[in-house]
Amino acid sequence: MKQISSILVIAAILSPLNLIAGDIKLSGFATIAGGFTAGKSQVLEGYDDKPSADKSSLFGIQASSELGKGWSATTQFLARGVDSWKLDTEWAFLSYEVTDNWRLLFGRQRAPFYIYSDFLDVSYAYHWIKPPSGVYSLVFDVFDGIGSVYNSSIGKLDSTLHVTYGRNRDPAIHLGLEENLEFSNFFAASWSISHKWLTLRSSYSRTNLTVPVTPMQSLYDGWRATPYQDVADKLEALNDLADYAGLGITFDSKNYLLVAEITRVQPGNNILPDQDSFYVSVGKHFGPVLFHFTYGEDENVADRSILSSVPQNTGTPLDELVMGTQEAFAMVEDKSAFYTFGVRWEMGESTALKAEFTRYNNKRDSANNASLLQMALTTVF
Amino acid sequence: MKQFSKSILIALSFFYVSISHADLVIIVHPSNPLTEISVDDVQKMYLGKKKTFPDGKKAIPGDQPTGTESRRLFSDRIIGRSEAKLKSYWSRLIFTGKGMPPEVIGRDVVIKKWVAQQPQAMGFIMRSEVDDSVKVLNLKLSTSW
């Protein structure tokens, strides 16, 4: 599905008609980022204490073309340092302008979960090197399907309603392993209203999810061999109904910046934990320089009630399963806080240099605490 | 309470763009029936939020290259964002396929010539460059938040 829609869109862009008309618009963006942590055993955002420069670096090219009668085709290719600079189609969609205010998108596109979802890879478009990973934590962010973007005015307010429906079947890295995840009947909507520099945003999403967790398979099998098979059924994330909700605020004036987001993920009744996250970021401009500070917290809580029907301390092999399951709960649970001091410097019209210091404190296991220093050069062209 | 609202007013005025449009003017084709336009509308049209003039007719706003005095004044005083912030604003829309910025036509002289030939056009130039090939729109300040 992904392949087919990408090929269709690329074919539309490169159609002979367009080559003759020569109206393909190319735009690009790039981030060269590097960093290192403060101590030998510290790992954060993929960085360790050895300075490296390819973890967040990326290079993107977008081609778009007007096809006439309100139709246009857009595709974005992305090469990431972390994937050995392999070129991949990030998205590809056909868009149809129904009216001046209403646009339909067909194909592979970004899901409108967060404030910065739409331009997550374009670091130049926001103040950090990357948005806080606690909130920006969902395992997928693009889907294949249909989207509708409707802009309108409500009195003095500008309103944008973005509604999407589709699915995602891309393999993804989850808990450190590549797994065949499946998100079907995926629905997401966001609504933002803005006036001048102030924007309020809310988003909601619901999907059926299947998330195999390979290391848990033996645990599922174990439970299925007991009279408590329903525990296995509950633990397994198989076609479960998951919900996501987020709220956000942006105040972005000439001199001041305030951004905050709060999100809740409820992946359904299974081994995957509920996630609550928020961050608040403030900044002040001094000419071409923006100083900013961000604080955020994340908490992952497992649904331990799954074990409530099972007798404990029976002196049978059941105890081992109970213990193994409790360990699994502890493994997916987490509680942490972070703060980031950062600076963004406009070096001319379309390039910005950024530097950030982040301190991460894990409230469950202080051995995971870490400090990270990062620098990045970001540009659009 | 009075004290309170006064301090709110002072606080708000800090965020407010102080517009001195003495030097910069908004121009349209002489056949355009409009005589004035609000800063709000100009902002919306140049930020891609509005595609028509206040009378509902299709509008094509034209831009100047960055670095000209007119472009700097326009970003700063009328749009209320630095040129860098404006670039960042558009990069958000471009890379989501949600919109393209107004076309860069050229400096004062070039954009004036373009507006003079294009009935749907709109542009901005220094007042000193105005002649009767184009029509100047009076800028109305936005009065409320």
Side-chain angles (χ1 to χ4, degrees):
Chain A
M1 178 62 199
K2 176 192 172 186
Q3 284 303 335
I4 293 170
S5 58
S6 307
I7 289 167
L8 277 179
V9 173
I10 294 164
I13 288 174
L14 297 179
S15 71
L17 209 67
N18 278 316
L19 288 179
I20 293 164
D23 60 353
I24 304 172
K25 284 188 184 134
L26 286 177
S27 327
F29 52 91
T31 300
I32 306 296
F36 57 90
T37 59
K40 265 210 156 34
S41 56
Q42 297 187 4
V43 177
L44 194 58
E45 304 281 330
Y47 289 104
D48 54 28
D49 63 323
K50 287 179 219 62
S52 69
D54 52 3
K55 299 290 189 294
S56 318
S57 298
L58 57 86
F59 180 86
I61 285 280
Q62 175 169 305
S64 61
S65 175
E66 300 287 332
L67 307 172
K69 296 196 171 152
W71 287 89
S72 64
T74 304
T75 184
Q76 199 179 91
F77 302 98
L78 206 59
R80 295 177 194 272
V82 70
D83 299 329
S84 314
W85 297 105
K86 187 167 62 71
L87 197 67
D88 202 5
T89 315
E90 183 69 7
W91 55 35
F93 56 79
L94 290 173
S95 101
Y96 175 64
E97 228 168 276
V98 186
T99 67
D100 269 358
N101 302 322
W102 186 22
R103 186 188 290 260
L104 294 175
L105 308 167
F106 307 90
R108 169 152 284 238
Q109 49 195 295
R110 184 67 48 88
F113 293 131
Y114 314 111
I115 293 179
Y116 298 100
S117 281
D118 278 350
F119 40 91
L120 209 49
D121 302 313
V122 189
S123 181
Y124 178 81
Y126 45 81
H127 60 297
W128 307 285
I129 294 172
K130 256 174 26 180
S133 53
V135 164
Y136 287 72
S137 65
L138 287 175
V139 69
F140 74 110
D141 57 12
V142 293
F143 69 96
D144 298 299
I146 178 167
S148 158
V149 182
Y150 183 71
N151 295 308
S152 59
S153 294
I154 305 171
K156 282 200 169 294
L157 305 174
D158 294 322
S159 149
T160 301
L161 181 65
H162 190 165
V163 182
T164 59
Y165 182 80
R167 69 176 183 197
N168 178 310
R169 285 178 169 174
D170 297 346
I173 305 288
H174 182 247
L175 298 174
L177 289 171
E178 180 163 306
E179 305 270 17
N180 288 311
L181 312 183
E182 187 174 330
F183 302 89
S184 56
N185 283 324
F186 168 74
F187 167 84
S190 75
W191 183 45
S192 46
I193 45 171
S194 64
H195 184 57
K196 307 268 183 196
W197 298 287
L198 184 68
T199 303
L200 301 175
R201 182 181 189 279
S202 59
S203 56
Y204 173 75
S205 175
R206 171 164 267 206
T207 184
N208 287 96
L209 62 75
T210 295
V211 178
V213 186
T214 306
M216 299 288 176
Q217 200 54 52
S218 57
L219 208 55
Y220 301 158
D221 293 343
W223 281 110
R224 292 220 160 88
T226 71
Y228 303 98
Q229 297 183 11
D230 62 312
V231 174
D233 296 338
K234 281 180 187 165
L235 286 174
E236 204 168 6
L238 187 67
N239 207 25
D240 288 350
L241 199 56
D243 288 293
Y244 160 86
L247 286 174
I249 181 171
T250 314
F251 180 85
D252 192 2
S253 78
K254 233 158 96 178
N255 299 318
Y256 297 95
L257 173 71
L258 167 78
V259 191
E261 273 186 280
I262 180 163
T263 57
R264 165 164 287 183
V265 184
Q266 291 179 319
N269 194 351
N270 51 47
I271 183 66
L272 305 174
D274 284 2
Q275 298 175 32
D276 282 299
S277 309
F278 79 85
Y279 70 81
V280 178
S281 187
V282 290
K284 178 153 179 28
H285 291 275
F286 296 91
V289 179
L290 169 73
F291 289 100
H292 56 90
F293 174 77
T294 306
Y295 175 81
E297 290 182 10
D298 309 292
E299 184 166 17
N300 294 358
V301 179
D303 180 7
R304 288 171 183 265
S305 72
I306 291 175
L307 283 181
S308 61
S309 62
V310 181
Q312 317 257 329
N313 303 319
T314 54
T316 66
L318 206 57
D319 291 352
E320 233 169 279
L321 276 174
V322 170
M323 223 160 72
T325 307
Q326 274 163 349
E327 272 169 31
F329 285 146
M331 220 173 72
V332 297
E333 285 188 332
D334 215 352
K335 190 170 162 63
S336 63
F338 75 93
Y339 61 83
T340 297
F341 281 105
V343 58
R344 172 191 168 121
W345 177 42
E346 302 297 333
M347 303 172 63
E349 190 212 330
S350 52
T351 306
L353 184 66
K354 304 176 182 184
E356 280 172 19
F357 170 81
T358 299
R359 175 66 193 176
Y360 170 85
N361 289 319
N362 192 304
K363 294 180 178 170
R364 283 179 179 272
D365 185 0
S366 60
N368 289 334
N369 291 1
S371 301
L372 171 67
L373 198 62
Q374 283 174 281
M375 291 259 285
L377 192 65
T378 67
T379 181
V380 291
F381 49 91
Chain B
M1 185 59 204
K2 198 175 171 188
Q3 201 54 39
F4 178 66
S5 53
K6 196 173 165 190
S7 46
I8 283 189
L9 269 181
I10 292 169
L12 280 181
S13 65
F14 269 108
F15 302 124
Y16 232 98
V17 202
S18 68
I19 297 163
S20 113
H21 53 275
D23 303 327
L24 191 78
V25 291
I26 302 295
I27 54 167
V28 292
H29 191 264
S31 70
N32 195 314
L34 293 179
T35 55
E36 56 174 25
I37 192 161
S38 71
V39 171
D40 232 33
D41 280 334
V42 176
Q43 285 180 355
K44 282 186 178 168
M45 289 160 83
Y46 272 89
L47 294 175
K49 292 175 179 171
K50 210 176 158 176
K51 289 169 181 167
T52 55
F53 283 108
D55 62 4
K57 296 218 175 69
K58 189 177 162 59
I60 306 175
D63 205 356
Q64 295 212 16
T66 51
T68 69
E69 177 67 0
S70 309
R71 179 58 152 60
R72 200 186 55 76
L73 275 174
F74 184 73
S75 307
D76 215 49
R77 304 266 169 90
I78 311 268
I79 305 295
R81 296 163 197 247
S82 66
E83 292 192 278
K85 272 216 162 171
L86 203 53
K87 182 87 184 177
S88 162
Y89 171 86
W90 277 111
S91 64
R92 295 176 179 193
L93 298 185
I94 293 169
F95 294 112
T96 52
K98 280 184 182 161
M100 285 308 243
E103 199 181 334
V104 176
I105 307 296
R107 296 164 166 273
D108 282 3
V109 183
V110 182
I111 202 166
K112 183 173 65 181
K113 215 166 152 190
W114 175 77
V115 169
Q117 291 166 354
Q118 167 72 262
Q120 297 166 326
M122 174 176 179
F124 53 88
I125 58 175
M126 300 304 282
R127 186 177 287 277
S128 54
E129 294 288 336
V130 172
D131 57 37
D132 53 13
S133 69
V134 293
K135 179 172 175 182
V136 173
L137 292 185
N138 287 321
L139 258 188
K140 284 186 300 179
L141 295 181
S142 337
T143 47
S144 67
W145 222 79

